[in-house]
Amino acid sequence: MFTVKPLPSAETNEDALVIGLFEGAKPWSGLAGAYDARLGGRLAELQKEGDISAKWGRLSVIHPFLPNGAKRLYFVGLGKQEELTFARLREGFGKLFRALKQAKRTAAAVVLDTFTTEAVDANEAAHALAEACYLATYEFPGYKQKKAEPDATLASLTVYTAADAADIKASLFVGSVYGKATNSARTLVNTPGNLLTASDLADYAVKLATRYDLDYEILEKEEMERLGMGALLAVNQGSAQPPKLIVLKYQGKERWEDVIALVGKGVTFDTGGYCLKPRDSMIDMKTDMAGAAAVLGAMEIIGELRPEQNVLAVIPATDNMIGGGAFKPDDVITSLSGKTIEVRNTDAEGRLILADAVTYAKQHGASYIIDVATLTGGVIVALGTDKTGAMTNNEALFEQLLEASMETGEFIWRLPITEKDRERVRSSNIADLNNSPGREGHAIMGGAFIGEFAEDTPWVHLDIAGTATVKKDGDLGPAGATGVMVRTLAAFVERFADHDQG
């Protein structure tokens, strides 16, 4: 899709030529100046009249009507140079690509060097451009009858730059990988529960492993019973669909050590069990496997980019249904770790399946654990729908994940786990743990519960209940699944520094 070329002349033919404009800079120099000169200063006049603007987020389209050169000039307002960041530039490119999609442009060219500053170089700009291209133009195919005429899509994008072509191509590739993998996760989350069962999720993971030469293991119900995965099995008891424990292994080092485990909640549909959700709360519960999707998306990036790290992905997959055999409030179950759990709420099922998955990851060499889950409505009450909640038992590990999230623009905010929180999770009179000790601080209770299974292993919990989906279209994608944490997990793995996490 991407072609890298040296800077063109104002006579080079293009269907749509994109140029970035900064406030306070001299806009009518370089290629833009050459077009202004050919048009007798008309572009400068249009800027004075407000038809072209360098203000952040403004997009202007001009038709030069010249015998040769660009048929259309797209000017992207970038605001002040000193305020431009990687994340902000990616958002600006998102606005551009959504506009190109709406206009049904099939080819375009971007003058990359007009989007760079001292803080954002050409390589970063190329990454942002490619990532935004895929994120902003994503569309879930759905299941409507197909139109007679296919929609026009952007198939060719020329990137003009004076920078080293090989470096720019590499950055475009990395940005493309990040964007495509996020879209893969979005599609998984958007897929209805009847079309994405635990078995379907396992089949997807096997195909992913085959494509990227990853080792994999799919644990069936019988194996779980033999191992004693009582928490995952309890959640599955009411289902007609068998559970799966999906395990992917990427070995980027010679020895299997310093292993980063990514654990994703894979509840393919959540009724709440016998603590049945009300109707409005049950709609869109197909998205309760967004943690699993985030892990699979991250593994797609890892498989493409081959970082020198060891990564173990563990996904407990099931739905949470009602039926004659379903687990009930007041049941006591025994987890893989041996710890017993009093079930006070069957709708607090995600932490149960993650408990066994975290224990399994530890048994298979995990040195560090990041779990990702649409775990609680409480995190939405606490932080809203634009922030992922985080909890940890290890400051150094959390700081590295926080840096990755800042790089990718996926905001996370840490919530505390105190000794009193741990006491509440251990507050059962008949078992080691209580899976739902009350509504107060519910998001923290979910994280604290999982922490009982991480124990001393450095661990971060990410609650994406608020950020896994959006209700409105945005600059970097439509309403629906966001693919949140795919890029943060991958960036964390790529840049992970194996130093003392204590």
Side-chain angles (χ1 to χ4, degrees), residues 90 94 98 101 130-143 178-192 196 204 286-287 289-298 300 410 467-470 472-487:
R90 180 178 51 213
R98 285 180 66 81
K101 180 180 179 181
E131 191 175 300
C133 179
Y134 286 98
L135 293 178
T137 59
Y138 170 79
E139 186 175 348
F140 182 63
Y143 307 97
Y178 270 67
K180 288 178 182 178
T182 302
N183 288 346
S184 296
R186 285 170 162 174
T187 296
L188 285 172
V189 177
N190 284 329
T191 302
L196 188 73
Y204 179 93
K286 66 181 181 180
T287 67
M289 39 60 67
V295 169
L296 289 170
E300 181 176 331
E410 296 185 316
T467 52
T469 59
V470 290
K472 296 181 179 179
D473 292 354
D475 292 328
L476 292 172
T482 61
V484 71
M485 290 299 127
V486 169
R487 291 170 291 139

Side-chain angles (χ1 to χ4, degrees), residues 111-444:
V111 186
L112 188 68
D113 297 3
T114 61
F115 290 86
T116 61
T117 67
E118 290 184 5
V120 182
D121 64 21
N123 290 322
E124 292 173 310
H127 181 138
L129 181 145
E131 191 175 300
C133 179
Y134 286 98
L135 293 178
T137 59
Y138 170 79
E139 186 175 348
F140 182 63
Y143 307 97
K144 294 183 179 181
Q145 294 184 29
K146 301 301 180 184
K147 299 177 183 178
E149 296 182 7
D151 291 334
T153 58
L154 187 65
S156 172
L157 188 66
T158 301
V159 177
Y160 289 116
T161 179
D164 182 79
D167 289 345
I168 297 302
K169 287 178 182 177
S171 295
L172 289 168
F173 173 72
V174 173
S176 299
V177 169
Y178 270 67
K180 288 178 182 178
T182 302
N183 288 346
S184 296
R186 285 170 162 174
T187 296
L188 285 172
V189 177
N190 284 329
T191 302
N194 64 320
L195 301 178
L196 188 73
T197 64
S199 296
D200 295 323
L201 202 59
D203 290 343
Y204 179 93
V206 170
K207 291 177 182 176
L208 193 69
T210 302
R211 186 190 317 161
Y212 295 114
D213 194 27
L214 309 176
D215 291 334
Y216 69 89
E217 178 185 30
I218 308 296
L219 266 65
E220 305 292 344
K221 184 175 182 179
E222 295 75 14
E223 183 68 7
M224 296 180 204
E225 291 171 340
R226 187 184 70 78
L227 292 172
M229 291 187 175
L232 174 52
L233 289 167
V235 176
N236 181 253
Q237 281 176 200
S239 178
Q241 296 288 336
K244 306 285 181 179
L245 188 77
I246 301 163
V247 183
L248 301 178
K249 178 181 174 183
Y250 168 81
Q251 187 163 349
K253 296 183 178 181
E254 188 173 338
R255 299 176 61 182
W256 187 246
E257 58 188 13
D258 302 320
V259 178
I260 302 167
L262 306 179
V263 181
K265 174 186 172 184
V267 175
T268 57
F269 193 85
D270 182 18
T271 67
Y274 275 113
C275 298
L276 193 66
K277 295 178 184 291
R279 182 195 64 182
D280 290 346
S281 298
M282 202 184 301
I283 293 172
D284 287 334
M285 278 299 106
K286 66 181 181 180
T287 67
D288 210 16
M289 39 60 67
V295 169
L296 289 170
M299 293 305 290
E300 181 176 331
I301 296 174
I302 290 164
E304 284 278 6
L305 302 184
R306 318 302 289 186
E308 294 183 2
Q309 306 290 354
N310 291 329
V311 186
L312 179 71
V314 182
I315 296 169
T318 180
D319 49 11
N320 183 24
M321 307 295 284
I322 57 174
F327 77 136
K328 312 172 296 298
D330 292 341
D331 283 1
V332 173
I333 58 181
T334 303
S335 67
L336 176 62
S337 72
K339 293 179 180 180
T340 55
I341 304 165
E342 180 183 8
V343 177
R344 302 296 293 174
N345 182 359
T346 62
D347 196 23
E349 86 297 332
R351 67 199 69 179
L352 297 178
I353 68 173
L354 288 169
D356 280 350
V358 165
T359 300
Y360 194 81
K362 289 169 59 180
Q363 291 177 353
H364 285 72
S367 308
Y368 317 96
I369 299 171
I370 312 292
D371 83 77
V372 194
T374 46
L375 204 72
T376 65
V379 80
I380 302 175
V381 175
L383 299 178
T385 57
D386 61 340
K387 305 170 194 71
T388 291
M391 281 152 269
T392 188
N393 64 4
N394 188 279
E395 192 71 33
L397 185 68
F398 174 74
E399 286 298 323
Q400 290 200 55
L401 187 67
L402 181 63
E403 289 177 11
S405 74
M406 292 172 67
E407 180 181 322
T408 60
E410 296 185 316
F411 193 102
I412 65 175
W413 189 258
R414 182 178 173 182
L415 298 172
I417 297 178
T418 67
E419 191 56 39
K420 287 188 177 181
D421 297 323
R422 298 184 185 95
E423 289 173 3
R424 287 182 63 193
V425 168
R426 299 167 186 162
S427 64
S428 172
N429 293 325
I430 59 175
D432 297 318
L433 302 171
N434 174 347
N435 86 319
S436 185
R439 294 184 64 186
E440 300 86 355
H442 186 57
I444 294 174

